[in-house]
Amino acid sequence: MIVKKRTIPLTILILEALLRRLPKNHSKRPLMIEELSRRRSGYLGEKSLDFYLRSLDSKNNLILHDLNLPDGNYNCQIDTLLLTPKFALIIEVKNMTGKLVFDTDNEQFFQVVDGKEIGYPDPIAQAQRHQAYLKNLFPTLEIDYLIVFTHPHSILSFTGRNIKIREKVCKSSSFLKKVHMLENKSQALIPQKELRKISRTLMKMNTPPTNYILEKYGIKKSEISIGLHCPLCFYLPLIRKNRKWFCPDCQTFFKDAHLLSLQDYFLLFDTKITNEQFRDFAHFISADIAYKMLTSSNLNHLGTKKGRIYFPDSLPLMDNNQ
């Protein structure tokens, strides 16, 4: 059963929101654009793995996609976590082409394309950090990991003496075989009740990695432009005109333009919002209009009158799985 469905990863949504709301000449834009391109490619690889994940026993296995778990000032991001009756499996997905080399003696990972070597963070070390993180949360749970490469034209290569690394790496076509091997090797038995308890704990911990991204690029929230942005040309701020949102740049009217900008707020500023904060953010002053928009945006709420706060069940606000 899919507990947390696959949607566009929060890191991608945060980077997109930042690029919409930072000055065009911001010094960190090129780095963010590069990371965004890399993560979009990774997301395509993650979606392609769904073809194989659907073959797993949906009754006894629980699947959680794109977990973002707080780790101090850092973010423990797991592409997919598979909870089985015998073990938990961290699945790190890479969508890369060319020759992909694991140098086990030096704990290095690099890509060879057109004779050029490009170094990347070691996915084995990354998966092991995530394994240690989950082990600290659930000491009695057996936790393993797999690095899955989804690009059909990639070539895996291993150098060095640590031949056990090969067991942790595979192409997507071999993924199910690897899972079955792990199932046959494990002697543990985890009750479904315990698996569901673990999944609920992880869902409660799942948090947008906003602070991590901002700190990574050294961006202050004061640098981020506020206002509602145009869903078509991304101009901001929109203005309120004839009971609709109007874009002065592309001369287009919108009824629900506030939804995407509300999502930006939840991704970049805070996971909750008040009527007053929404009015400040959206650049308009009617408390009644703000109330109608917030209550019609499918948000949860707590409190009454001026003390009421609104917050989303999950992000993204709309089903923008592409």
Side-chain angles (χ1 to χ4, degrees):
M1 181 179 74
I2 297 178
V3 176
K4 186 175 184 297
K5 68 178 184 177
R6 190 185 301 287
T7 57
I8 297 179
L10 290 177
T11 301
I12 289 179
L13 295 176
I14 290 169
L15 288 169
E16 289 175 342
L18 275 174
L19 289 169
R20 280 193 292 268
R21 294 178 177 275
L22 285 177
K24 299 297 182 185
N25 61 351
H26 196 285
S27 62
K28 298 299 175 67
R29 284 184 71 91
L31 292 175
M32 287 189 285
I33 290 171
E34 180 184 349
E35 179 175 355
L36 179 58
S37 176
R38 188 172 68 250
R39 288 187 177 275
R40 282 173 172 167
S41 175
Y43 175 52
L44 291 176
E46 291 169 28
K47 289 207 299 182
S48 71
L49 189 64
D50 289 343
F51 175 81
Y52 300 96
L53 286 169
R54 68 179 185 175
S55 298
L56 296 173
D57 182 357
S58 61
K59 182 179 179 180
N60 294 314
N61 295 319
L62 305 181
I63 298 174
L64 297 91
H65 294 299
D66 188 35
L67 279 173
N68 290 272
L69 308 173
D71 186 12
N73 293 327
Y74 298 93
N75 173 55
C76 176
Q77 191 274 330
I78 298 175
D79 294 338
T80 296
L81 182 67
L82 173 65
L83 297 175
T84 81
K86 291 188 173 183
F87 57 89
L89 182 65
I90 297 165
I91 305 168
E92 296 295 338
V93 183
K94 304 295 179 185
N95 184 21
M96 304 173 71
T97 188
K99 185 177 181 180
L100 307 170
V101 183
F102 286 85
D103 177 359
T104 63
D105 284 347
N106 298 297
E107 296 184 344
Q108 293 185 131
F109 171 70
F110 59 93
Q111 177 189 41
V112 183
V113 179
D114 297 328
K116 183 181 179 181
E117 295 182 353
I118 307 170
Y120 292 95
D122 182 7
I124 295 292
Q126 179 188 48
Q128 289 174 340
R129 286 194 299 272
H130 295 169
Q131 182 185 38
Y133 178 95
L134 291 181
K135 196 67 179 176
N136 185 56
L137 289 177
F138 311 107
T140 61
L141 183 64
E142 185 177 325
I143 303 169
D144 215 322
Y145 62 88
L146 277 178
I147 315 298
V148 184
F149 290 88
T150 59
H151 199 289
H153 302 307
S154 61
I155 301 172
L156 302 182
S157 178
F158 302 86
T159 66
R161 291 162 289 182
N162 189 355
I163 60 174
K164 289 187 176 181
I165 291 298
R166 297 170 183 258
E167 300 175 4
K168 305 298 183 183
V169 181
C170 69
K171 298 285 289 289
S172 53
S173 56
S174 302
F175 170 71
L176 292 176
K177 180 181 177 182
K178 288 281 189 179
V179 172
H180 294 323
M181 288 173 62
L182 290 171
E183 286 176 336
N184 292 333
K185 188 171 65 173
S186 176
Q187 300 298 318
L189 188 60
I190 309 167
Q192 272 292 312
K193 184 177 180 180
E194 181 65 22
L195 288 180
R196 293 182 185 279
K197 181 180 178 182
I198 292 170
S199 70
R200 287 195 299 270
T201 298
L202 293 171
M203 287 294 287
K204 288 179 181 178
M205 292 179 63
N206 188 63
T207 309
T210 303
N211 292 335
Y212 169 72
I213 298 295
L214 295 182
E215 289 182 12
K216 177 180 179 179
Y217 289 104
I219 296 171
K220 298 178 181 178
K221 290 186 178 181
S222 58
E223 297 178 71
I224 303 171
S225 299
I226 61 174
L228 304 191
H229 72 267
C230 175
L232 293 181
C233 70
F234 303 131
Y235 173 89
L236 63 82
L238 299 181
I239 60 176
R240 192 72 178 165
K241 188 175 181 180
N242 298 332
R243 304 178 71 177
K244 292 184 179 180
W245 296 109
F246 177 69
C247 175
D249 193 46
C250 67
Q251 300 289 300
T252 307
F253 284 92
F254 302 94
K255 181 182 178 182
D256 298 324
H258 61 284
L259 291 175
L260 283 174
S261 291
L262 260 177
Q263 178 168 289
D264 282 3
Y265 184 94
F266 293 133
L267 289 167
L268 299 176
F269 293 97
D270 200 346
T271 54
K272 59 187 182 301
I273 194 169
T274 64
N275 185 300
E276 182 180 5
Q277 289 170 332
F278 180 45
R279 284 181 281 140
D280 290 342
F281 178 71
H283 287 176
F284 71 98
I285 59 173
S286 171
D288 289 338
I289 293 175
Y291 173 78
K292 290 176 182 178
M293 289 183 175
L294 289 168
T295 54
S296 65
S297 297
N298 200 28
L299 298 173
N300 298 316
H301 64 266
L302 288 173
T304 58
K305 299 183 179 180
K306 289 185 178 181
R308 175 174 287 189
I309 60 170
Y310 300 84
F311 56 95
D313 227 1
S314 62
L315 292 170
L317 288 179
M318 292 157 288
D319 185 8
N320 54 357
N321 193 16
Q322 301 172 3

